[in-house]
Structure formats: structure tokens, C-alpha cells
Amino acid sequence: MPTTVLVGAQWGDEGKGKITDHLSKAADVVVRYQGGNNAGHTIIVGNERFALTLIPSGVLYPQVTPVIGNGCVIDPAVLVDEMAELDRRGIDPSRLQVSGNAHLIMPYHRKLDAVMERFLGQQQIGTTKRGIGPAYMDKFSRHGIRVQDLFDPKIFHQKLEVALKDKNKILAKVYNSLPMEIEPIAEKYLGYGDQLHDHVTDTSLLLWEAQQQGKNIIFEGAQGTLLDIDHGTYPFVTSSNPTAGGATIGSGIGPKTIDRVVGVAKAYITRVGTGPFPTELNDETGARMVELGGEFGTVTGRRRRCGWLDIVALRYAVRVNGLTELAMTKLDILSHFENLKIAVAYDSLGERFTEFPRQQRVLYNCHPVYEELPGWDVDISEIRSYDDLPKEARRYIEYVENMIGVPVSMIGVGPARDATLIRNP
Ligand code: IMP
């Protein structure tokens, strides 16, 4: 049974939830390994729409053990709410397993996220303001508070006191904001501890044992390659490692146990927040993509920036993740365009780039070099077999596949659970 890592191959919002959902049918364990409730995974089951931010999408299958690994940052208020919501809708959340080593998002992290962004003004990152960055800052400065601390009130108080002393000074003196009080936070969080207690376990050991037993494990990346703190378009990135390597660090498994790395990319490309975006369309075509693709964020509702598919970025994603295959989502949205462009290189500062530029200055000045392919003026959302796609749509897929050097194994043609074409190229 394979261990599969599924990653976003663009700037997040690639439709990973739907592909994880598809793979989860045959999975035993589905793991989140980084990020927190900055992610939004939407899955449509029948007439019901599930929008999860923290709990792995695999929870919707009764045989799956959903796991939140050590690499995640957890806002416990969001987690208990999400569990209650699933319960209310008839999905049993009791199987959820959470790493005691995952870090907690505290109220001062959310506050700092907001004031830090405000302070940046024009340079702001456009974060989701969920406290993600400040929580990871505390993790790496070793002032973080972890899930396991919730179960020792004395230690929790001590850690909170140290953290708050520091944060209140920063809030007041740097950001001119009101300080926060310790007791209401402590009371609330220890209450969450009581609610989460039975879910917290050594998830690294759980995964090791699952691998020994030959179980089918899926690692569900959040955000995407170009938002990776190391490999993304820094500083306009998130604060964790969505790339495939993050799965080992963020869960405590060894890299040699990974058999398959599936990248997920839209048939075009989108981005929320600020930062460079070479194929961005600030015109009517971009506006049509927003409208046809329903390109508004699951978490913040923000309008996504849209552009043509970027092969330079996609080849980069193949490389830094070691992708073994690609799932392409939302191909149906392209049905409404007469001609389709695909960026195959960038021109920047007098040079042509076919590899993703490492220098921010180069990236900011990129002008995409496009190839043009014919579109198909047919609704493909009811098609369920690759061979039934119009030849122009197949040509689009095969063109991408040739350019990136890995097979396109799954193709999304609509939001429904069964609207994913499986292909064995
Ligand atoms: P943060 O993760 O909230 O710190 O936001 C940092 C950057 O990542 C911002 O540009 C966000 O818009 C972006 N981002 C974070 N999570 C997601 C996601 O799930 N999809 C797309 N963009 C995201």
C-alpha cells in the first residue's frame, strides 16, 4: 500500500480537497502536515458542501483516520468548532488524532497578524489574518505553546505568562495596541484542552505503525509550492513548508517511505494575497476566469487573481516536490475561451528564463512568453471518460504533460465528487 503526498503545485486553492477526497476513498489514514486554518478545502458531497480548514478532507470517509501532524499550527477554537459542525452533519469526528507537538495559535497571534500587516502598509503580504505567521514565529523562537501543554495547567500558565509579558510589550510599544489579559485566555484554552484531550496522541508513532501494517496513507498538503517559506515567492508566502519535503518534517516519517507525490494544479492559475504573478490577467479574460471559476477564497472570501497556466512555475513544482504525477483541476472552466494561452518562458531584464527565477527582482519584471492552443466550445462537465473529451481538451492536457515531464493522471471537469477523470497515460 502506498504512502502518497499530495501537494499544491501553484499558489494554493488548486482544488486539492477534491483530489484528496478522491484518493481518500481507498485510504486508511489522511494527514495534514503544515499550516493551519489559513487553508480552505471545499468538497461537494451530493447536495452538501463541506468547507474544512483544519481537519483533513479524508474525515468524510468513515474508514479514514484523520491526523493533524506536528507541523501544523492549531487554533483550538476553530478545531472544536469544526468537529462540532461535522458531528452536527452526521460525520463522526471522534476518529481525529492530533499531535501533542503541534503548536497552538493563541489570541495574541491573531492580533499580531492583523497589526503587523497593517504596519506593513503597501508592503503587506495579504495574510489570512488567522495568526499563522506569528504562531510559527513563536515556534522557531522557542516561545511557542504546544497542544500537549493544554494538559498541564501549571506549565500552561507559566508558558502563557512568559509569552504574554513579551507580546503585551510588543502590542503596546510597537503597535500601539491594547494589552491582553492572561486569565480569560487560560480559562478558554484549558477548556479546549478538556475537549481535545482524547484526540491527542503520538501521531509519528501512529503513522509508523500504520506503515508497518501496510496501510494506505495520504499526506494532504495545504497552500501550495509557490507559497512555501523556502521555495515560494518569498516574502509573499505562508510560514510553513507545503512542499513534499514538509510532509516528513511535519509528521515524523522518513522520506524513503514516500512512494508517490501528486501535484495538484488548476488548468489555469490563481493567487490570493499580494506578490509577483507573471501570468496575471488584469483584463476581461481574467475577470471571466474569476466569474466562471467562482474564484473567491474559501477562508477569507477574497477575490482571487487569475491568469493563464504557467508551465515555468509548474516545472518548478515538479522539481522541488519530486512530483510523480499531476492532477489538473477545473478544466471545464477553460471551455468558455476560444483560444488558450500557456506560458512556456519568461522574458525579464533582457534575458529569457525557462526555469523559475530565484531572484525576486527578476520575477517582478517577468513578461510571459505564450504558446497558444485552440479551445473547445463544448461543455465538458458531464464527461466521465478521458477519451470522450474533445480533441482540443486532450491536446491541452497532453501538451502540458509533455512540457512538464510527468503524467497528468487525474482531470477535474466539475465540482461534483465524481467529476474527476482518471487516466492511465
Ligand atoms: P498566511 O498563511 O495567512 O500567513 O498568509 C500568507 C500568504 O499565503 C497570503 O498571500 C495568503 O493569501 C496565502 N495563503 C495562505 N493560505 C492560503 C490558501 O490556503 N490558499 C491560497 N493562499 C493562501
Side-chain angles (χ1 to χ4, degrees):
M1 283 286 198
T3 292
T4 302
V5 180
L6 186 132
V7 295
Q10 298 167 326
W11 275 292
D13 304 324
E14 298 92 349
K16 294 179 292 292
K18 186 158 171 273
I19 303 297
T20 317
D21 179 64
H22 173 74
L23 294 176
S24 297
K25 262 187 255 172
D28 301 299
V29 185
V30 180
V31 191
R32 276 281 308 268
Y33 58 87
Q34 46 72 230
N37 58 313
N38 48 347
H41 295 168
T42 310
I43 300 136
I44 313 274
V45 184
N47 292 329
E48 286 209 69
R49 184 175 176 275
F50 290 87
L52 299 168
T53 64
L54 199 50
I55 298 180
S57 318
V59 72
L60 300 182
Y61 288 96
Q63 87 285 359
V64 164
T65 302
V67 172
I68 300 181
N70 56 277
C72 294
V73 283
I74 299 177
D75 187 328
V78 173
L79 185 56
V80 298
D81 268 3
E82 221 159 86
M83 286 164 65
E85 170 70 4
L86 286 172
D87 201 23
R88 197 181 61 72
R89 295 171 71 177
I91 311 275
D92 173 22
S94 68
R95 296 158 285 143
L96 178 70
Q97 303 294 307
V98 180
S99 167
N101 287 359
H103 280 246
L104 291 170
I105 297 180
M106 305 297 292
Y108 44 82
H109 292 138
R110 286 195 300 272
K111 194 161 179 184
L112 280 166
D113 201 352
V115 292
M116 282 161 69
E117 277 283 273
R118 217 179 305 142
F119 197 73
L120 282 171
Q122 294 267 315
Q123 269 78 45
Q124 67 177 233
I125 296 160
T127 74
T128 59
K129 299 202 176 71
R130 299 295 191 266
I132 307 294
Y136 278 113
M137 280 164 69
D138 274 2
K139 169 175 175 171
F140 286 100
S141 69
R142 291 158 294 174
H143 290 146
I145 304 181
R146 298 189 291 175
V147 169
Q148 58 179 282
D149 297 324
L150 292 172
F151 311 125
D152 188 331
K154 200 168 150 215
I155 293 277
F156 184 80
H157 255 97
Q158 273 173 11
K159 291 193 174 181
L160 184 57
E161 210 174 308
V162 172
L164 256 191
K165 221 158 121 190
D166 177 59
K167 299 301 182 255
N168 276 340
K169 271 194 204 142
I170 296 173
L171 281 169
K173 297 197 172 157
V174 180
Y175 297 107
N176 207 15
S177 282
L178 290 175
M180 302 182 100
E181 281 180 48
I182 188 165
E183 279 317 320
I185 301 179
E187 197 185 317
K188 237 184 187 167
Y189 272 64
L190 292 172
Y192 295 137
D194 292 340
Q195 285 171 272
L196 294 175
H197 185 270
D198 293 346
H199 297 273
V200 177
T201 191
D202 180 343
T203 48
S204 165
L205 180 61
L206 180 154
L207 292 170
W208 167 263
E209 286 171 352
Q211 284 180 327
Q212 299 306 306
Q213 291 160 16
K215 297 251 169 94
N216 190 354
I217 305 173
I218 294 168
F219 288 89
E220 176 183 359
Q223 289 85 46
T225 302
L226 300 172
L227 287 173
D228 187 282
I229 185 85
D230 286 282
H231 303 290
T233 49
Y234 190 92
F236 302 101
V237 292
T238 192
S239 304
S240 62
N241 290 111
T243 46
T248 70
I249 309 277
S251 69
I253 60 145
K256 284 179 79 174
T257 62
I258 297 170
D259 305 286
R260 188 179 172 202
V261 186
V262 182
V264 185
K266 274 180 189 150
Y268 47 103
I269 189 166
T270 64
R271 167 164 213 174
V272 281
T274 41
F277 183 170
T279 63
E280 181 168 17
L281 292 165
N282 287 312
D283 58 7
E284 207 178 296
T285 309
R288 278 189 77 205
M289 283 178 180
V290 173
E291 190 194 320
L292 294 166
E295 295 297 351
F296 295 91
T298 321
V299 175
T300 59
R302 287 181 291 177
R303 186 183 198 268
R304 297 178 184 140
R305 301 153 67 193
C306 290
W308 293 117
L309 186 66
D310 184 340
I311 289 287
V312 185
L314 207 48
R315 287 179 53 235
Y316 177 67
V318 170
R319 169 157 60 89
V320 296
N321 293 296
L323 297 188
T324 56
E325 64 199 270
L326 188 79
M328 185 177 275
T329 58
K330 289 190 145 179
L331 185 68
D332 53 313
I333 304 305
L334 293 186
S335 302
H336 306 276
F337 297 88
E338 200 178 330
N339 286 305
L340 307 172
K341 291 186 182 176
I342 296 186
V344 294
Y346 305 143
D347 282 338
S348 179
L349 307 172
E351 257 187 85
R352 179 152 293 191
F353 293 84
T354 52
E355 297 296 339
F356 198 70
R358 296 300 287 177
Q359 250 189 313
Q360 215 184 337
R361 198 165 71 90
V362 175
L363 201 54
Y364 263 106
N365 287 288
C366 277
H367 298 282
V369 178
Y370 287 117
E371 285 283 337
E372 218 165 292
L373 269 71
W376 52 92
D377 199 9
V378 190
D379 178 9
I380 58 169
S381 60
E382 300 298 325
I383 291 178
R384 294 292 177 267
S385 148
Y386 181 75
D387 294 334
D388 293 339
L389 284 174
K391 68 174 186 319
E392 293 83 0
R394 280 182 278 130
R395 183 166 165 211
Y396 187 82
I397 297 287
E398 286 156 32
Y399 181 85
V400 172
E401 194 166 68
N402 278 334
M403 292 296 283
I404 64 175
V406 297
V408 176
S409 56
M410 288 170 262
I411 298 152
V413 292
R417 211 177 203 181
D418 67 343
T420 304
L421 315 183
I422 307 303
R423 185 162 163 256
N424 299 309

